[in-house]
Amino acid sequence: MAIFNIGKDFSDHPIGRFYSDGNSSGEEFREEYLLPRVLKLADSEKLAIIIDEEVDGYGSSFLVEGFAGIVKYGYMTGDELLAKIEIHFSDDDFKFFKDKIESYIKNAKFDSKTYQSTKGT
Amino acid sequence: MDERLIAVLQDQALSIDLIQKTLEQSNASALGQTLIGGLITTIVGLFIANMFTKHVEKRRVRQNRTSVVCKTKIDVVKRFDKCCFEYWSRDFDENKDPELERDIRYLHGNLRKSLDYLNQENPAGFDKSVVELKKAISVLYDEVLGNDFESKKRRRSSKIIRISDRNTHILMSNLLHYL
């Protein structure tokens, strides 16, 4: 199983929705970190995502853009994405964020929006 | 089991032993059986009374603790509501206030933890209130800490202020339930 530790491999302060909001945004997370890792997985392989190390918390716009964006922009369906990832945490407070991530992915409408990068805007 | 109870049980055991020896000598087995039966009943009664007292005391301590925690959380809800109002009632471009953003995040985290506390303290007793609190905290997260909360451009939003106001009332009424 591949492991992706958000706090160590991405940022200890994930914040904002788009590139245009600043560093460590949900869009950056999705496009440059999460999506490439998920697409690289073998058929039955899963990506273990550690959400609570070195991170204090997440805003809802970051999580929606970072996770549900994969479904919204048509990269894969919610079920496909949920089958590919496993959210891990040891701090109980992060169960809230795990539930939120799963709920955003489930509720996202597949391929409902065309992606236009905000990088450099 | 406390020391007093152990001492009583030991005394009772010695008494039973003594009576048995006396009875063996006097061959008064019927009277002996009656006496032993009475003693055993007394011991069991004492044991149950002791357990019940401890249970009641433990429950009282837990309720007091929950009440103190909920009083504190009510203050957190008031502060959260005040911060949300301040944050969402002005345009973002001119008045970026990272400290206020941090406060809102912190206060929401504090409220989330109160749910963990209530669940751990009494998982069976407060189901309905915990469910309502959980729902309100979740809605506040999506609405108040979502939308354009972390974006560089944001316009004031009376819609979000209303959502915050409605849900903070739900939080308050459910927390008051524990006082």
Side-chain angles (χ1 to χ4, degrees):
Chain A
M1 183 184 276
I3 296 172
F4 176 30
N5 187 327
I6 295 180
K8 288 179 179 165
D9 302 331
F10 173 63
S11 167
D12 57 1
H13 191 48
I15 189 167
R17 184 184 294 272
F18 301 120
Y19 281 115
S20 52
D21 294 326
N23 291 331
S24 314
S25 67
E27 187 182 5
E28 180 186 347
F29 171 77
R30 184 190 69 234
E31 292 298 316
E32 297 180 32
Y33 291 81
L34 182 59
L35 192 57
R37 281 169 169 76
V38 169
L39 293 175
K40 226 194 294 181
L41 294 172
D43 277 352
S44 57
E45 200 184 1
K46 281 200 170 204
L47 179 67
I49 305 174
I50 299 165
I51 59 171
D52 62 340
E53 276 183 33
E54 296 181 18
V55 177
D56 288 333
Y58 301 88
S60 111
S61 33
F62 174 88
L63 295 181
V64 169
E65 199 58 34
F67 288 89
I70 291 182
V71 180
K72 187 170 65 177
Y73 297 122
Y75 294 111
M76 62 183 73
T77 65
D79 287 342
E80 283 168 343
L81 179 57
L82 286 169
K84 289 273 180 197
I85 61 171
E86 259 183 26
I87 311 284
H88 292 262
F89 60 89
S90 47
D91 179 344
D92 284 345
D93 187 35
F94 280 73
K95 187 182 182 308
F96 179 85
F97 296 113
K98 178 185 190 267
D99 292 345
K100 280 290 173 193
I101 291 168
E102 289 172 352
S103 143
Y104 295 146
I105 293 174
K106 277 179 196 157
N107 292 325
K109 216 170 162 188
F110 178 66
D111 206 13
S112 56
K113 217 170 170 185
T114 307
Y115 175 57
Q116 282 182 318
S117 174
T118 67
K119 203 170 191 176
T121 59
Chain B
M1 207 179 290
D2 62 23
E3 285 177 8
R4 200 160 46 103
L5 183 61
I6 291 168
V8 172
L9 292 173
Q10 280 173 342
D11 285 348
Q12 301 286 14
L14 281 172
S15 304
I16 291 168
D17 199 34
L18 192 65
I19 289 165
Q20 270 181 330
K21 279 177 186 166
T22 312
L23 289 175
E24 276 168 17
Q25 287 167 2
S26 64
N27 288 328
S29 62
L31 176 64
Q33 278 172 3
T34 309
L35 283 171
I36 290 167
L39 279 170
I40 290 169
T41 309
T42 311
I43 292 166
V44 171
L46 273 170
F47 182 74
I48 291 170
N50 185 271
M51 294 294 281
F52 181 72
T53 310
K54 277 187 176 173
H55 172 73
V56 169
E57 176 63 11
K58 212 171 158 183
R59 206 169 123 186
R60 193 185 61 78
V61 169
R62 197 169 56 202
Q63 278 173 345
N64 283 349
R65 202 168 48 210
T66 303
S67 165
V68 169
V69 169
C70 287
K71 273 183 192 159
T72 316
K73 297 298 172 186
I74 285 172
D75 290 337
V76 174
V77 173
K78 286 179 188 164
R79 276 172 60 206
F80 182 75
D81 195 36
K82 189 171 167 267
C83 287
C84 289
F85 186 85
E86 206 180 321
Y87 185 84
W88 284 103
S89 59
R90 63 190 193 206
D91 289 341
F92 192 63
D93 314 35
E94 300 143 20
N95 300 304
K96 188 168 165 56
D97 190 344
E99 264 183 46
L100 193 55
E101 282 178 24
R102 214 167 26 241
D103 284 352
I104 290 174
R105 271 193 217 99
Y106 168 77
L107 292 168
H108 189 269
N110 195 310
L111 291 172
R112 281 199 309 270
K113 281 170 190 159
S114 62
L115 279 178
D116 294 339
Y117 175 81
L118 291 174
N119 272 325
Q120 280 163 17
E121 275 300 288
N122 198 338
F126 303 120
D127 283 350
K128 194 175 166 239
S129 287
V130 170
V131 168
E132 285 182 5
L133 282 166
K134 196 174 175 182
K135 198 175 162 193
I137 287 171
S138 178
V139 171
L140 284 167
Y141 176 75
D142 287 331
E143 297 295 339
V144 176
L145 282 89
N147 296 292
D148 294 329
F149 182 71
E150 292 171 343
S151 71
K152 279 193 172 166
K153 286 181 182 174
R154 172 178 56 73
R155 297 283 167 217
R156 67 179 298 278
S157 171
S158 53
K159 178 190 156 226
I160 290 164
I161 290 167
R162 278 200 304 275
I163 285 163
S164 167
D165 185 52
R166 194 175 65 233
N167 281 283
T168 48
H169 276 94
I170 294 171
L171 289 176
M172 297 277 269
S173 60
N174 281 288
L175 286 168
L176 282 168
H177 170 80
Y178 302 113
L179 300 183

